[in-house]
Amino acid sequence: MIEVSKFTSDGQDFLKINLKRLDPEIVAMIMSINGWFKAMEPMCYGLPYSALSEFIQKTQDHMVIWKSSADKMGTLAKGIDTRDVPTDYVVDYRPKLPLREHQIVTFNLMMLRDYMLISDQEGVGKTPPILCQHDAKVQHGVAKWGLYVTKAGLIYDVKNQAEKFTDLNVVTVEGSARQRVKRYDQMEKDDTIGLVVVSYETFRADINHFIAINKSKSFDIMYLDECHKIKNTTSAIGRLIHKISPKQRYAITASPVINEIIDMFNMLYWMGAIHYNYFQFRNKFCELDGWGNVARYKNIGEIKTILQSNMLRRLKTEVLKDLPPVVAKPLYVEMTSAQRKLYKAIEQGDYDEIDFEDMFFEDVPSELAKHARLAQVAESTEIVGGEKGVKGSGKLKELENLLEEIVERGEKAIVFTRSKRMTHVMVDYFSKYNPAMITGDVDAMAKAGQEVSDRQAMVDKFQEDETCKVIICTESASREGWTGTKANNVIFTSKPWSPSYISQCIGRAWRFGQTGGTTGSINVYSLISRGTIDERIEKLLEEKQFVIESTVEQPLGTQKILNVLDGKSA
């Protein structure tokens, strides 16, 4: 696999080419292009940017991931060329709220195609045109109703946007088993329902109900939102999505499949973009090692052609020209004496009596546990039962000053932390700003008698209540599925070890509807405890020491991460 990015040096543009595995054939190809040079990093080469066309032509059948500062995820192919797609509605339709020009292009493509992978970058505004084209199909008799499967936390976002943009009668399936059975009975009897929205978990649990309803009154259209959830063909949801066979099928994800070709199979097969079975697909595009694992890929040009024909992929910077710029603002903070004392003890391995929190690090090996503990103390000793408030956290005092400045400017802020305990600490400490809060304990599903979930109520409070100046979030529970455009300030008191997770957090504010506040920018503040693990995590992120596999980020080998965190050469 080849990862390519653009960089500028001394006023000249170059291509930076990282090889993820040493391949003599690829090295020879690079060396055949005039102007090539070996970079300082291992398995890294450079080319003059003027050689771009030749490089693309020579790597047509290789696995190339294009990176840019605006798109941390990268992609195999550009996708559908939309230059000839009309920017006026191809059918007689007017939404309740106007769509932007690029959204009308999405609308028109979906009106013209029975299946498509919709992979616009998060924040571009994918959901409104998807719902509007569904509304138009119902109005024009092309479809009677459809099924929209998504993550549990996104159900209300879909329903709310449908109410804002369309006249669709949308029902959500949730609640207790008894409540869901009543909803299924309603679905069978009520012919005015235009769209059913359900979580993947409920769809899996109640699959027999959906099969029975589909037999009596077939779904005409099906949408799989966050469709990377179906990539595993042997998982329950990966198998069950094939039980419903609508005429039109649309897969939706802001994170297109980018590294693991084999993970693309289930999505492309469900859509109808390919007709190979799993083994035919694997044999055509993969070479296996002696243990049956994918060693390398082949016939990549055909995969690129499939994506270029069936994937809509546009970046925010391409279609939202009026989005404010993102400005990184690192703030270095001195630890308090209580932090320094505790930090030193942990460095020396003396922490048997300390109550460390589960930080939700994704499968952090035991070798990294010490660094996770250090990260907690660098944020606040209160997280581990130590000194409270500003005595135990230099970051809390810095955040106090920062929020005061932001509020005086008439702006709002989103604060992210890795720690659920720190979330509660900050909510209590900054009560004067009437904060909203999202943690894993804030329910994403509505309870009996509720119109919206607790989580959506928090988002609504932040977006609509002028007295609510800040929303404080546990990062692992809040980086997806909500809109926080009332804020143009994003603050990290601690960071995930993943560039894309950070991008997802920033994307809560940097999206359609953002004005940039009084500063005209998205200000991204990172609170970094000086002389601590925080600085090395920043280095880890800056050096992109993570390989994105499919739509899920996975770290490099543990030893390489440890080298960076221990201050050694990676």
Side-chain angles (χ1 to χ4, degrees):
M1 193 267 286
I2 312 167
E3 184 178 285
V4 183
S5 58
K6 179 182 177 182
F7 74 98
T8 302
S9 178
D10 295 330
Q12 289 186 293
D13 292 335
F14 297 91
L15 294 175
K16 180 180 178 181
I17 304 165
N18 284 298
L19 306 185
K20 294 306 179 182
R21 62 186 297 272
L22 187 59
D23 188 324
E25 178 185 342
I26 295 175
V27 173
M29 179 274 297
I30 294 171
M31 295 173 66
S32 72
I33 300 175
N34 288 335
W36 77 273
F37 57 92
K38 180 70 178 70
M40 295 295 291
E41 300 171 43
M43 295 198 300
C44 186
Y45 298 81
L47 287 172
Y49 194 74
S50 58
L52 176 61
S53 296
E54 183 179 357
F55 177 77
I56 291 174
Q57 188 273 324
K58 288 187 173 181
T59 57
Q60 176 60 31
D61 208 37
H62 290 280
M63 186 75 167
V64 179
I65 306 301
W66 296 93
K67 295 281 188 176
S68 77
S69 59
D71 185 17
K72 299 295 185 185
M73 295 302 294
T75 185
L76 275 168
K78 177 68 174 176
I80 298 167
D81 186 345
T82 62
R83 287 176 295 183
D84 295 328
V85 179
T87 54
D88 293 324
Y89 295 97
V90 294
V91 296
D92 182 20
Y93 180 76
R94 289 294 178 270
K96 290 164 70 173
L97 292 177
L99 297 180
R100 289 194 167 196
E101 188 173 284
H102 73 275
Q103 292 175 313
I104 296 174
V105 168
T106 306
F107 176 100
N108 289 337
L109 280 171
M110 296 184 74
M111 293 298 296
L112 299 170
R113 292 168 174 255
D114 286 343
Y115 59 85
M116 190 164 66
L117 170 59
I118 303 166
S119 290
D120 282 340
Q121 190 179 22
E122 61 185 18
V124 165
K126 296 184 292 296
T127 307
I130 291 170
L131 295 170
C132 286
Q133 64 81 36
H134 186 86
D135 188 26
K137 287 174 179 175
V138 171
Q139 288 185 20
H140 287 274
V142 176
K144 292 183 179 179
W145 70 333
L147 179 62
Y148 197 110
V149 187
T150 187
K151 293 173 64 174
L154 299 182
I155 287 177
Y156 285 103
D157 182 61
V158 174
K159 182 175 174 60
N160 290 343
Q161 295 212 49
E163 291 173 351
K164 289 180 181 178
F165 285 89
T166 78
D167 293 314
L168 282 169
N169 180 7
V170 178
V171 299
T172 58
V173 180
E174 56 196 321
S176 66
R178 179 176 295 181
Q179 290 171 321
R180 300 199 306 271
V181 168
K182 289 182 179 179
R183 185 53 55 87
Y184 296 134
D185 184 59
Q186 175 194 0
M187 288 161 55
E188 290 204 57
K189 296 176 180 177
D190 188 350
D191 290 333
T192 69
I193 296 173
L195 187 66
V196 175
V197 185
V198 63
S199 70
Y200 281 99
E201 294 77 12
T202 300
F203 178 77
R204 181 184 63 225
D206 294 354
I207 185 60
N208 290 332
H209 287 285
F210 284 99
I211 291 173
I213 292 169
N214 189 58
K215 283 182 178 178
S216 64
K217 192 170 63 172
S218 298
F219 292 107
D220 300 297
I221 311 174
M222 188 169 174
Y223 307 88
L224 294 184
D225 196 7
E226 304 291 337
C227 64
H228 46 270
K229 290 180 71 71
I230 70 163
K231 69 178 183 178
N232 186 349
T233 57
T234 62
S235 68
I237 194 63
R239 290 182 286 103
L240 294 176
I241 51 104
H242 298 284
K243 296 292 185 179
I244 309 295
S245 301
K247 297 174 184 177
Q248 298 182 25
R249 310 176 191 203
Y250 302 100
I252 308 160
T253 176
S255 305
V257 178
I258 53 175
N259 278 0
E260 295 296 333
I261 294 289
I262 198 69
D263 290 340
M264 299 175 63
F265 168 76
N266 210 30
M267 175 185 66
L268 295 175
Y269 184 78
W270 174 81
M271 283 169 48
I274 60 173
H275 300 287
Y276 315 111
N277 64 34
Y278 177 81
F279 297 103
Q280 290 170 329
F281 182 90
R282 188 190 66 181
N283 293 337
K284 185 173 184 63
F285 298 110
C286 307
E287 292 182 5
L288 306 182
D289 60 22
W291 292 273
N293 300 315
V294 176
R296 59 181 298 171
Y297 292 104
K298 57 186 179 181
N299 301 318
I300 300 299
E302 185 171 336
I303 283 290
K304 291 179 181 179
T305 299
I306 292 170
L307 289 177
Q308 286 164 351
S309 302
N310 298 291
M311 179 178 72
L312 180 63
R313 173 67 173 170
R314 297 166 298 181
L315 305 184
K316 281 183 281 196
T317 52
E318 294 173 336
V319 297
L320 298 178
K321 302 297 185 182
D322 54 351
L323 267 185
V326 175
V327 180
K329 297 186 175 183
L331 297 176
Y332 287 85
V333 180
E334 296 294 339
M335 287 196 295
T336 66
S337 58
Q339 281 179 293
R340 287 194 293 271
K341 181 179 179 180
L342 194 53
Y343 195 91
K344 184 176 181 179
I346 295 169
E347 284 187 311
Q348 295 173 347
D350 182 16
Y351 45 77
D352 288 342
E353 303 301 319
I354 300 174
D355 178 23
F356 291 105
E357 179 191 14
D358 175 4
M359 289 281 285
F360 304 104
F361 283 93
E362 287 73 23
D363 300 319
V364 171
S366 58
E367 300 96 313
L368 295 176
K370 174 182 174 181
H371 298 287
R373 294 177 180 125
L374 289 171
Q376 292 178 356
V377 175
E379 189 169 15
S380 171
T381 60
E382 190 168 355
I383 295 173
V384 297
E387 287 278 6
K388 297 183 178 181
V390 294
K391 288 185 178 181
S393 174
K395 290 184 179 182
L396 196 60
K397 183 62 178 177
E398 183 68 29
L399 181 59
E400 185 175 21
N401 296 333
L402 182 57
L403 286 177
E404 186 175 334
E405 293 175 9
I406 289 169
V407 172
E408 284 181 356
R409 293 199 301 256
E411 298 175 348
K412 293 190 177 188
I414 304 171
V415 179
F416 289 102
T417 172
R418 293 290 285 162
S419 166
K420 184 168 66 175
R421 291 181 187 173
M422 188 63 174
T423 303
H424 288 284
V425 167
M426 290 189 286
V427 167
D428 291 341
Y429 193 84
F430 296 111
S431 60
K432 67 179 180 179
Y433 295 130
N434 188 21
M437 175 180 70
I438 299 178
T439 73
D441 295 333
V442 177
D443 206 320
M445 302 293 288
K447 301 181 182 72
Q450 287 183 321
E451 291 187 8
V452 298
S453 66
D454 292 339
R455 172 182 159 121
Q456 187 60 47
M458 285 289 180
V459 174
D460 291 345
K461 173 183 176 181
F462 179 68
Q463 288 285 93
E464 299 169 8
D465 186 344
E466 287 305 313
T467 69
C468 176
K469 301 299 184 182
V470 60
I471 183 166
I472 301 172
C473 308
T474 308
E475 173 270 330
S476 60
S478 60
R479 57 180 175 252
E480 295 179 300
W482 62 282
T483 294
T485 49
K486 287 294 183 179
N488 65 304
N489 301 281
V490 177
I491 305 169
F492 291 94
T493 61
S494 55
K495 280 184 175 177
W497 300 2
S498 158
S500 280
Y501 289 168
I502 291 169
S503 294
Q504 287 177 328
C505 291
I506 296 170
R508 298 309 95 215
W510 192 49
R511 60 197 301 116
F512 177 69
Q514 177 60 248
T515 63
T518 60
T519 61
S521 60
I522 303 297
N523 307 302
V524 179
Y525 301 92
S526 301
L527 303 188
I528 303 165
S529 290
R530 196 182 300 277
T532 72
I533 187 69
D534 283 358
E535 293 181 331
R536 299 195 288 278
I537 290 174
E538 288 296 312
K539 181 179 179 182
L540 185 71
L541 294 167
E542 288 171 5
E543 295 185 3
K544 299 179 180 178
Q545 292 294 313
F546 284 80
V547 176
I548 301 173
E549 295 182 350
S550 184
T551 55
V552 180
E553 283 211 342
Q554 306 251 349
L556 293 179
T558 300
Q559 188 56 52
K560 290 189 178 181
I561 295 176
L562 282 168
N563 286 344
V564 175
L565 297 181
D566 287 331
K568 302 174 184 177
S569 172

